């Protein structure tokens, strides 16, 4: 099978497409022929050796996939030909993947492979942050930074579905137009507008939640714009800089600052994680939420797909069409 291989830590352009042996399932495992894989910002960090967890090289990057089961190990509750999606630390940027059956879920009728591949990581991250960390209520003003990116646009979709009022903050008119189309009640272009003052103006000083997957220079002004007693959730640092927050801001306004990382959240709060994932699966199966796919690349151009995400050019999700 063809697979994208990270042989040494570095840039997306250092990846190679190689021929690897087809995997064989053991007990409780399945082999999936991959039709689509989705790209996430942590993939860029993993191949650079800069993620919280360091994967030994060589490895096949990619954490989200969808396809068809082609082989089943003893005890795995799937059958050949079944359409499935999965999240996995690595291995998605390939023609086939060997997976533990517990990480695999059937794709509901009405969902295509690309949507199923693009749904897992970003929508779970956003839903855990909204549902369990920030405890968003109907009518709350929710500010989403990096609102046109993978996690950001997922947060816009889900907050709207939860009945919140979304203020989407992004860096260009086309990104903000998409956020409007997805249901955002207000938008801020933080490349040209003062983020703090515009949040206060547009929400009437009523922003109760900020979701921040970006970091950098946007975190502090968004935190300053929170209403008294609001919640700031940090999810990542796509801007490339981890911000330093003056703690007196937290003290004076009674703000709660929370962090959420999907891997540790699921380990630390398994009951909340199970509830959230069941609710999210229902939303996806009903067609209430579907990811917006802004760019597609063939497997041979996986490096270009990763560069697209690394350079913050992505709008919504970036998908690799493995069978193209």
């Amino acid at each position: 099978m063809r697979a994208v291989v990270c042989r040494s830590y570095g840039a997306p352009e250092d990846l190679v497409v190689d021929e690897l042996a087809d995997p064989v399932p053991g007990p409780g495992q399945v082999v999936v022929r991959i039709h689509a894989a989705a790209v996430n910002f942590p993939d860029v960090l993993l191949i650079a050796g800069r993620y919280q967890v360091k994967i030994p090289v060589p490895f096949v990057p990619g954490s989200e996939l969808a396809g068809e089961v082609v082989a089943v190990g003893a005890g795995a509750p799937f059958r050949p030909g079944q359409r499935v999606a999965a999240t996995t630390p690595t291995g998605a940027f390939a023609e086939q993947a060997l997976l533990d059956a517990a990480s695999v879920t059937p794709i509901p009728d009405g969902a295509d492979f690309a949507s199923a591949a693009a749904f897992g990581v970003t929508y779970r991250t956003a839903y855990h942050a909204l549902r369990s960390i920030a405890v968003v209520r109907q009518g709350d003003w929710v500010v989403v930074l990096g609102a046109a990116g993978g996690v950001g646009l997922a947060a816009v979709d889900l907050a709207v579905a939860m009945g919140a009022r979304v203020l989407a903050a992004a860096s260009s008119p086309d990104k903000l137009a998409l956020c409007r189309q997805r249901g955002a009640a207000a938008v801020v272009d933080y490349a040209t507008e003062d983020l703090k003052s515009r949040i206060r103006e547009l929400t009437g000083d009523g922003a109760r939640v900020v979701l921040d997957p970006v970091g950098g220079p946007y975190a502090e002004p968004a935190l300053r714009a929170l209403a008294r007693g609001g919640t700031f959730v940090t999810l990542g640092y796509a801007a490339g800089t981890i911000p330093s927050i003056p703690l007196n801001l937290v003290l004076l306004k009674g703000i709660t600052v929370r962090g959420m990382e999907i891997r540790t959240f699921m380990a630390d709060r398994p009951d909340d994680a199970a509830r959230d994932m069941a609710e999210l699966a229902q939303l996806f199966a009903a067609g209430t939420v579907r990811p917006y796919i802004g760019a597609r690349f063939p497997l041979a151009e996986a490096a270009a797909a990763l560069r697209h995400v690394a350079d913050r050019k992505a709008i919504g999700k970036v998908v690799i069409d493995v069978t193209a």
Side-chain angles (χ1 to χ4, degrees), residues 1-20 47 57-62 91-95 298-304 306 320:
M1 68 170 186
R2 289 187 306 152
V4 177
V5 181
C6 176
R7 291 177 174 163
S8 60
Y9 300 123
E13 293 74 18
D14 297 325
L15 298 171
V16 296
V17 178
D18 207 347
E19 287 287 337
L20 303 181
I47 65 172
V57 294
F59 67 91
V60 175
F93 299 166
E95 291 180 324
L299 185 65
E301 296 178 16
L306 284 156
I320 294 173

Side-chain angles (χ1 to χ4, degrees), residues 47-74:
I47 65 172
R50 294 169 44 219
Y51 194 56
Q52 293 98 322
V53 177
K54 204 163 188 176
I55 305 296
V57 294
F59 67 91
V60 175
S63 59
E64 292 182 290
L65 62 91
E68 298 174 89
V69 175
V70 293
V72 180

Side-chain angles (χ1 to χ4, degrees), residues 132-190:
S132 293
I133 302 300
V135 193
V136 168
R137 303 181 296 255
Q138 187 170 359
D140 283 345
W141 271 108
V142 176
V143 177
V144 181
L145 305 184
V151 172
L153 201 56
V156 171
D157 290 346
L158 291 169
V160 169
M162 296 167 73
R165 294 175 291 174
V166 175
L167 189 156
S171 60
S172 68
D174 57 336
K175 291 179 179 180
L176 295 175
L178 176 61
C179 294
R180 284 278 197 192
Q181 293 172 19
R182 306 293 281 198
V187 297
V188 174
D189 185 339
Y190 48 50

